[in-house]
Structures are given as structure tokens and as C-alpha cells.
Amino acid sequence: MRRIRFQLLKRSYPPCINATPLPIHHHPLSTTTTTTTTFPRPELIEPFCDTSDVVVSSPHHHLQPSPWLSQILSLLDGSPSMESNLHSFCRQFLITLSPSFVSHTLLSLPNPNNNSLTATRFFRWALSQPNYSHTLDCYVSLIHVIISSGEFNLNLTTFHTVFAELKRRRFAMTLTAANSLIRSFGSVGLVEELLWVWREMKENGIEPSLYSFNFLLNGLVNSSMVESAERVFEVMKDGKVKPDVVSYNTMIKGYCKVGKMRKALEEVREMEKLGLEPDKISYLTVMQACYSEGDVGCCLRIYHEMVEKGLEVPSHGYSLVIGGLCRQGKVVEGFAVFEDMVRNGGRANKVVYTALIDSYAKGGNVDGAMRLFERMKVDGIEPDEVTYGAIVNGLCKSGRVEEAMGYLEFCRVNGVTINAVFYSSLIDGLGKAGRVEEAERLFDEMAEKGCPQDSFCYNALIDGLAKRGRIDEAMALFKRMESEGCEQTIYTYTTLISELFKEHRNEEALKLWDMMIDKGITPNVASFRALSIGLCLSGKVARACKILDELAPMGIVIETAYEDMINVLCKAGRVKEACKLADGIVDRGREIPGKIRTLMINALRKAGNADLAIKLMHSKIGIGYDRMRSVKKRVKFQTLVET
């Protein structure tokens, strides 16, 4: 019996790869030589071998992968002769692959991202085997491979063909197949296909498991069908299969995806009431949504709640909190969270360090940024181009251009990518330091290196040229921006308008202003200040007021416009015009008269006209009334210079 069992077991193993099978009529057990032989029926190969009757030492590992599996997988190379090689191999060794073997082989293909075509060809070839027909599991496995590929959108035609075949075959649905299909369809948001599986389950009397419900929820959420997911969720709450933490986390993800932050937080609180402790995924999902919406306060509250509950805060959670605080300029609070992370055994990553370095640098604390930069390297974290860009930007803004140029040379030598932000910071720093020629060389180098010249670097060079009196070159660069399709920003126009007025090229400045309005660029405080100061200093206060009035119907209100104009007029010694403007403001009811008095007093004091400031302070100008016969009239500001 043992010898017979051994011979049967031996038959299920493939021969050595290098062995050449003997012809049937030369079989070593044969005693006679014959010229005609009837081939035995091919053996049906299953994906696993049951070794329970020969391997006694490992009772829990009786099912071993079939040794034929590796042989078949080696033939699935995607070559033009793949099908021919498979056919020859099976004929040579008298084997036929079972549907279970085909299904298992499809799921065993390495690198599924590149194997959807190979899998489909193997699936089609299997049908050419004699007396063979695909089962439900074969279709389920192929669909999984196609959907799991990294280029599913390119395989849509193949998918729809396979799915149509599956529906035509009218297989009896099983729970295992349904769960696999729900998971596959849900991962890419195929809602119609998802609902088809759900209907098949009902028709076949299959009760959905928690696994089924959770993957259905995930599929609906991935398709942004959150309202449908809500209905399924309510069915779970009222039915036999109750939601678990995964169910709640899926709904939280859905609410965050469609911007319903309050509902997401309500689900977290409901979990707590039901005794389902929210896990780090629950909190992290909400935290990510808060960060995306710029709600750093909510981010911080969730972080503190996680700490209080003793939950592990993952590194991504720390990154969100620190990054959010740094984005708001709260670098001290961000650094405090950073230190908490280190104390709790967390390890800062490149993103966290770069966010802190950038925030310190932008806040003017370049020395703090440099200390963190050195600490980052001590921790074994290699800075990238973003980190170096933050350091260079901080150094340039602090006037330490020479150090910044040193980092440029270091990056060139060490192969660190120099991006547009890096170049823009240096061009801006060099321009402000009066080293415009060097800034121009860097600007040209950007084009040579294939680095896109964006509006930031254009603006930096335009600013440098304009402030050095090279306004015509700045204007030429402005026109080049437009011809190359680079967006001209409010900063571009503000810089040029300001410098054109300084060169007494008022009409050109006004043309630029009109061009800006025509392009739909909304003026801000800085741009109107540049315009109004230029007009006021050229004696065109009324024109500035008229332009300000034209902005109001467009919904643009410049709160500090009159304050800026009064200040500049007083500073230029044009107190009479400042008084006339102040009276016009009061007459129109634009401002509270008391505020205008305060503005005038401060403007006169700053301009060195202390005597007029004192006179205004002790007078009834702007707030008092003189009676002219039976009519009360407010005392005008112009009386300040008339008496």
C-alpha cells in the first residue's frame, strides 16, 4: 500500500525542468516494444496537494501549493508564444488545469500592475483545454487582477467584456465571490456593478456579512455617494449585522470627503456612546480633513484628545498639526508639538523639519531655522530641494545673500535639484541688494536649465530692475511675461505702477491700472496705495477719490485708502489738500469725524507739523459746530490752514 501511495503522490509532481520525458514505447517498465500507443487521459491539476496521509509531522499544513504552479507561472511571460508554450507543456506532461488551478494562478501572478493583459490571455487560453469551462471563481479572480492594475482606466474595455460574460453565465453567487467582487468594484467606485452583486446576493438568499456591508459602504463612499452609504449604514444599525469601528471609519471618511465635518465629528462621538472606541484612523481622518480646510484649531483639539486618551499619534498626525501651525505662523506652538513628538518616541521626518525651518525663516528667525537645519542632518535626515529652498529664502529675506549663494553652489556640486522657488528667492534677494546683473544671470540660467520661469521669479526681477531705475527693462520683462503666457499678478502691477509714478510717468501708470481692472485682477490695499500716493503727490487727489468711488460698485472696499492719502499729503507738506480731503470724507459720511481728526493729528505730528497738530487737538475742527444765523455747520478742517 505504501508503494502504491508513493507512486500516486509522485505522479502529481512535475519532472525536473531539464529532464526530457521518455517516449511511451521506451518506458522503463515496459517489457515489449510497440509502435502504437493509446495516450492516457490527462491528469486534472488542482492548486493544492493534500499530503495529510504521508506527512504526519505537520497536521496543520496538509495543503501544500501544487509544484505545477511555479512551472505554469514561469510560462506566463506575456511573450507572443505564451499560449503555444502553455499548450505544449500541458501536452508534454499530460495535464489539464482545473478551474480552481486557473483561478489560483491568476491571483498568484507577480506585479499585478503590469499583468492584466497577461492574465486575460491566460484566462482565454484556459478555455481551449478539452472538456474545460470557467467557474465563477475564475471570473472573480480575473476581475480582481484587472481592477488591481495600476492602469484600470486603460483596461475598461477588457473589464466590461469580462463582466458582461460573467452576467451572461448566470452563476449561482456565493458569499466568498460576492465579498471579493464588492471589494474590487468598491475600490474603483463601480457603483452599478456593486449594486448588481448586491442584487445577486439577495436572489441567491445570501445574507450579507459585516465584511460585505463594510465593502459596500466603502464602494459607495469612494464614489462620493455618501447619502446612499448613509441609508446602508442605517440598515446596519437596525439589522442583525451591527456596524463596527471599520463601518464608522468609512462613514467618517465619506463625510470628510464631501466637506461635512460636523457629521464626521458626530460619528466619532456616537462611537464613544456605543462603547466603540474611535481608533487612530478615526481621528486621523478627521484631522486630515480639518487640515485640508485650514481649520488648524480643530486639528489641534483632535491631537490633544488623542494624547489624553493615550492613543498613539502616527507621524502623519504630527505632520498635520505641526504643518498647520507653521502655516499660520505659529512656529512656537508648532515646535512645542515637535518636542512632544520626540519625547513620546516619535521620529521627525523631512516634511516636519522643512515646515518648521520654513516657518522660522519666514518669521525672520533665520538663526532658529539654521539650528533646526543642523539638527535635521544630525538626525540622519537628508534635506531636499524644498528644505534648501526654505533656508535660502530665509537668508535672502534677512539680507544674508552671500550665505544663500553659498548654498546655491553647494546644491550645484552635490546634485540637489534647484527649483523655481530656490531661484526666485535668490533673484529677489540679489535684486533687493542692488546686485541686479547677478539676478539677471540667474534668471537666464533658469531657462537654460529647463526650470519654469513662473510669476514669482518674474516679479522678483521686475522689482529689482524697477527699484534700480531701470523701469524700461522692467516694462519689457512685463510684456515678455504676457507673451510667454506667464500670469501677471497683482504684485506685478503694484510694483510697476509705484515705480512709474516715481518716474513721473503718470499716464503709463494709469494705463497699467486700467489694464489690471480690465483683466479682472482685484486691487488690494497695496495696489491702491501705490496708485493713490502717486496721484496725490502729482496733485490729482480728486482723481484718486474718483477711482476709489468706481471700485465700490465692484464690491472692492479699501478700508485704509483715505488714511493713506491723508498721511502722504501731510508728509509731503500739502496740509491744505489733506484738510480738503478730510472735509470731503466728513461731508460724504464715509468716516466718523472723530477718527478723521485722529488721523489728521497723527499725520501732522509724523510730518513734523506739531503746532498744527496741537491746534487741531484743541479746536472744534471736525467735531464741533459753528452757528451761522439759524444754521449749524460743522467746523471744517480747512479752517486749520485758513486762520
Side-chain angles (χ1 to χ4, degrees):
M1 282 297 293
R2 284 188 176 180
R3 180 174 297 176
I4 294 169
R5 187 181 302 156
F6 178 74
Q7 291 294 338
L8 290 172
L9 180 64
K10 187 177 179 183
R11 173 166 168 70
S12 66
Y13 282 77
C16 177
I17 294 174
N18 296 322
T20 302
L22 294 171
I24 296 290
H25 58 278
H26 287 158
H27 198 282
L29 297 179
S30 176
T31 56
T32 60
T33 302
T34 59
T35 55
T36 60
T37 305
T38 302
F39 281 89
R41 190 173 179 179
E43 180 184 1
L44 192 66
I45 300 299
E46 296 294 342
F48 295 97
C49 299
D50 186 356
T51 59
S52 58
D53 55 349
V54 291
V55 183
V56 182
S57 60
S58 55
H60 300 295
H61 299 86
H62 297 155
L63 292 179
Q64 298 294 328
S66 167
W68 293 101
L69 181 63
S70 59
Q71 299 272 43
I72 296 296
L73 284 172
S74 68
L75 296 173
L76 302 182
D77 54 5
S79 66
S81 60
M82 185 180 83
E83 288 85 353
S84 174
N85 295 339
L86 283 165
H87 186 67
S88 298
F89 183 84
C90 290
R91 282 193 64 190
Q92 185 178 14
F93 297 112
L94 296 175
I95 59 173
T96 296
L97 311 186
S98 69
S100 297
F101 191 96
V102 171
S103 173
H104 187 73
T105 304
L106 287 167
L107 296 177
S108 302
L109 282 168
N111 303 321
N113 287 357
N114 304 315
N115 272 333
S116 58
L117 178 59
T118 302
T120 306
R121 287 174 61 189
F122 174 63
F123 181 84
R124 297 297 179 209
W125 170 85
L127 275 175
S128 68
Q129 297 182 108
N131 304 316
Y132 177 90
S133 181
H134 283 314
T135 61
L136 172 63
D137 288 341
C138 296
Y139 283 94
V140 171
S141 297
L142 180 59
I143 286 171
H144 172 75
V145 173
I146 293 171
I147 288 178
S148 299
S149 68
E151 298 179 336
F152 174 60
N153 290 334
L154 300 177
N155 298 318
L156 279 174
T157 303
T158 304
F159 165 75
H160 287 306
T161 303
V162 173
F163 184 62
E165 280 183 33
L166 170 62
K167 289 198 291 185
R168 281 198 303 272
R169 295 292 300 274
R170 299 297 299 168
F171 291 111
M173 187 60 68
T174 65
L175 180 60
T176 303
N179 284 341
S180 178
L181 288 171
I182 288 170
R183 181 175 187 177
S184 296
F185 295 153
S187 66
V188 287
L190 294 171
V191 179
E192 287 185 21
E193 290 80 358
L194 200 64
L195 296 177
W196 174 83
V197 178
W198 204 251
R199 286 193 298 272
E200 288 291 305
M201 289 176 71
K202 282 190 174 181
E203 288 177 12
N204 286 274
I206 299 171
E207 284 292 326
S209 64
L210 179 61
Y211 185 91
S212 312
F213 272 115
N214 282 344
F215 277 113
L216 176 62
L217 284 176
N218 191 55
L220 293 169
V221 164
N222 286 343
S223 305
S224 298
M225 297 179 69
V226 179
E227 290 183 4
S228 299
E230 279 182 308
R231 289 194 288 272
V232 173
F233 196 53
E234 291 303 318
V235 168
M236 291 179 73
K237 287 180 181 178
D238 298 333
K240 295 178 184 177
V241 181
K242 300 296 181 185
D244 65 353
V245 174
V246 175
S247 317
Y248 273 95
N249 284 349
T250 304
M251 289 307 302
I252 288 167
K253 179 177 77 170
Y255 287 129
C256 289
K257 189 173 183 179
V258 295
K260 293 184 177 180
M261 289 301 305
R262 183 178 293 180
K263 288 287 291 180
L265 287 168
E266 283 174 9
E267 295 300 335
V268 173
R269 301 305 168 218
E270 186 176 300
M271 287 173 74
E272 294 170 339
K273 289 177 185 176
L274 295 172
L276 289 170
E277 280 296 323
D279 59 11
K280 60 183 179 182
I281 295 173
S282 318
Y283 286 111
L284 200 63
T285 304
V286 179
M287 193 185 288
Q288 177 69 64
C290 290
Y291 178 84
S292 299
E293 291 187 2
D295 190 350
V296 180
C298 178
C299 234
L300 198 57
R301 286 193 298 274
I302 292 168
Y303 161 73
H304 286 307
E305 191 172 326
M306 290 182 75
V307 172
E308 286 168 12
K309 289 189 172 183
L311 285 172
E312 177 197 354
V313 181
S315 59
H316 183 58
Y318 280 113
S319 297
L320 292 173
V321 176
I322 295 169
L325 289 168
C326 289
R327 198 163 62 179
Q328 288 193 339
K330 297 178 179 178
V331 67
V332 176
E333 292 92 329
F335 186 73
V337 175
F338 171 81
E339 292 289 24
D340 285 343
M341 176 183 66
V342 174
R343 274 195 300 273
N344 292 327
R347 189 170 183 271
N349 55 28
K350 194 179 298 184
V351 174
V352 169
Y353 267 115
T354 301
L356 285 167
I357 289 168
D358 185 54
S359 190
Y360 269 116
K362 285 178 178 174
N365 187 355
V366 183
D367 291 331
M370 296 302 294
R371 284 194 295 272
L372 267 176
F373 184 63
E374 293 304 320
R375 180 172 172 177
M376 177 183 183
K377 290 189 284 187
V378 169
D379 280 353
I381 300 171
E382 193 64 32
D384 60 8
E385 66 269 18
V386 181
T387 318
Y388 281 110
I391 289 290
V392 166
N393 185 45
L395 289 169
C396 287
K397 287 189 183 303
S398 300
R400 295 159 64 173
V401 182
E402 216 44 61
E403 287 179 68
M405 291 296 287
Y407 278 104
L408 172 66
E409 192 57 37
F410 174 86
C411 290
R412 280 173 174 163
V413 172
N414 291 278
V416 177
T417 303
I418 303 169
N419 58 24
V421 176
F422 201 119
Y423 275 115
S424 299
S425 299
L426 285 169
I427 291 167
D428 186 55
L430 289 167
K432 284 181 169 56
R435 297 161 63 175
V436 184
E437 289 77 13
E438 291 176 75
E440 286 182 293
R441 282 198 293 274
L442 279 182
F443 185 80
D444 293 336
E445 183 183 303
M446 287 183 75
E448 292 168 9
K449 300 283 185 182
C451 185
Q453 294 168 313
D454 57 14
S455 57
F456 292 104
C457 63
Y458 267 105
N459 288 342
L461 187 54
I462 285 171
D463 183 71
L465 289 168
K467 283 183 169 57
R468 293 292 291 175
R470 295 163 62 177
I471 190 68
D472 289 326
E473 291 174 68
M475 287 297 294
L477 204 57
F478 171 80
K479 290 173 183 174
R480 179 175 155 188
M481 267 181 101
E482 189 168 28
S483 65
E484 293 187 0
C486 185
E487 183 187 5
Q488 295 160 327
T489 66
I490 186 69
Y491 184 84
T492 321
Y493 284 98
T494 301
T495 301
L496 289 170
I497 288 168
S498 177
E499 296 304 320
L500 283 168
F501 271 120
K502 286 178 184 176
E503 295 288 325
H504 306 293
R505 295 162 66 169
N506 300 356
E507 289 307 314
E508 288 179 72
L510 286 167
K511 280 181 184 176
L512 269 186
W513 175 268
D514 291 336
M515 184 191 297
M516 180 180 78
I517 299 296
D518 290 342
K519 284 189 175 181
I521 298 173
T522 305
N524 58 14
V525 173
S527 61
F528 185 77
R529 183 183 292 124
L531 178 77
S532 60
I533 287 173
L535 288 172
C536 286
L537 292 178
S538 57
K540 297 179 180 178
V541 180
R543 181 77 178 270
C545 292
K546 183 185 176 186
I547 291 173
L548 188 61
D549 289 339
E550 289 170 353
L551 294 176
M554 298 165 59
I556 302 167
V557 179
I558 312 294
E559 297 289 346
T560 60
Y562 290 114
E563 180 180 347
D564 292 334
M565 285 192 278
I566 288 171
N567 278 330
V568 75
L569 287 169
C570 289
K571 190 174 180 180
R574 299 181 178 181
V575 181
K576 188 173 183 178
E577 291 175 68
C579 290
K580 186 178 178 181
L581 178 58
D583 284 331
I585 296 168
V586 175
D587 290 343
R588 296 183 186 192
R590 293 289 180 86
E591 298 284 350
I592 300 169
K595 185 176 180 181
I596 298 300
R597 275 174 57 86
T598 306
L599 287 178
M600 284 290 295
I601 290 167
N602 286 332
L604 288 167
R605 181 178 55 79
K606 288 177 182 177
N609 289 321
D611 53 339
L612 287 178
I614 292 169
K615 181 180 177 182
L616 176 56
M617 190 168 59
H618 293 292
S619 69
K620 294 193 293 183
I621 294 172
I623 56 171
Y625 295 88
D626 281 340
R627 186 173 292 278
M628 302 292 291
R629 296 179 183 174
S630 60
V631 180
K632 284 174 63 178
K633 287 190 176 180
R634 191 185 296 276
V635 179
K636 291 187 174 290
F637 283 92
Q638 290 179 64
T639 58
L640 187 66
V641 289
E642 289 173 354
T643 57

